[in-house]
Amino acid sequence: MGDDVTPERFRALAGRFATGVAVVTTAVDGTVHGITVNAFASLSLDPLLILVCIDREATTHALLPRAGAFAVTVLAAQQEELSVHFASSDRAEGHAQFEGISWRPAAVSGAPVLEGGMAWMDCRLSGVHDGGDHSIFVGEVVALGELQGTEPLVFYEGGYRRLAEAGR
Ligand SMILES: Cc1cc2nc3c(=O)[nH]c(=O)nc-3n(C[C@H](O)[C@H](O)[C@H](O)COP(=O)(O)O)c2cc1C
């Protein structure tokens, strides 16, 4: 019983776990950077911890330990374009990466919080753990707040989705 355990089957079946989409941002050495993630989860209530999993090959992987802090913006349904942008390999570097995007610096990290999202959290990096070809970055939440979004962006089976309110 069961399918062959291959990366392709793993990717397809893991993709049946519906997630939200977030942008993790850093501010380091006077510049800023963002990356689209769906490997984001709340981890602990006491202390308040979240985790994000970042590919070892990603630029962000080296930036997070240097910054020692980061912000997370949970994207709203209308922000699919931002998700695509912060995942694209040919986006600009530094402040130019945020041109035309409305943001403000988070209080502690100074990292961009994207206006129009669902919620933001500002985190101090509290640990980095091995996760195969990714690393698990644990952040202690030091500030947080709501944003203007009312419906979350959903990622499911490799595509962007909207929440359907079945039965209403
Ligand atoms: C919906 C979506 C979710 C993603 N989730 C992650 C993730 O959780 N972790 C990760 O390392 N990359 C993730 N990626 C890929 C990165 O966004 C992409 O590789 C990005 O260009 C890396 O940026 P960087 O190299 O500038 O840090 C995701 C991409 C998309 C479109």
Side-chain angles (χ1 to χ4, degrees), residues 35-60:
I35 177 177
T36 300
V37 302
N38 67 339
F40 161 79
S42 61
L43 176 63
S44 161
L45 271 179
D46 185 17
L48 284 178
L49 300 175
I50 58 102
L51 68 82
V52 292
C53 304
I54 303 292
D55 193 319
R56 289 181 181 278
E57 302 290 321
T59 304
T60 304

Side-chain angles (χ1 to χ4, degrees), residues 19-22 33-40 52-61 63 83-91 93 97 134 155 160:
T19 67
V21 183
H33 191 81
I35 177 177
T36 300
V37 302
N38 67 339
F40 161 79
V52 292
C53 304
I54 303 292
D55 193 319
R56 289 181 181 278
E57 302 290 321
T59 304
T60 304
H61 195 277
L63 289 177
S83 174
V84 172
H85 172 71
F86 286 106
S88 86
S89 53
D90 57 2
R91 67 196 187 280
E93 293 290 326
Q97 192 176 106
H134 283 55
F155 195 69
Y160 296 102

Side-chain angles (χ1 to χ4, degrees), residues 107-161:
V108 177
S109 67
V113 167
L114 308 181
E115 300 292 353
M118 298 296 297
W120 62 273
M121 294 183 192
D122 199 17
C123 303
R124 268 199 202 101
L125 183 60
S126 80
V128 185
H129 305 272
D130 181 41
D133 58 11
H134 283 55
S135 292
I136 304 157
F137 291 88
V138 176
E140 181 181 2
V141 179
V142 291
L144 76 180
E146 276 179 25
L147 291 163
Q148 304 85 350
T150 52
E151 189 197 337
L153 183 60
V154 175
F155 195 69
Y156 177 69
E157 289 197 319
Y160 296 102
R161 315 285 167 158

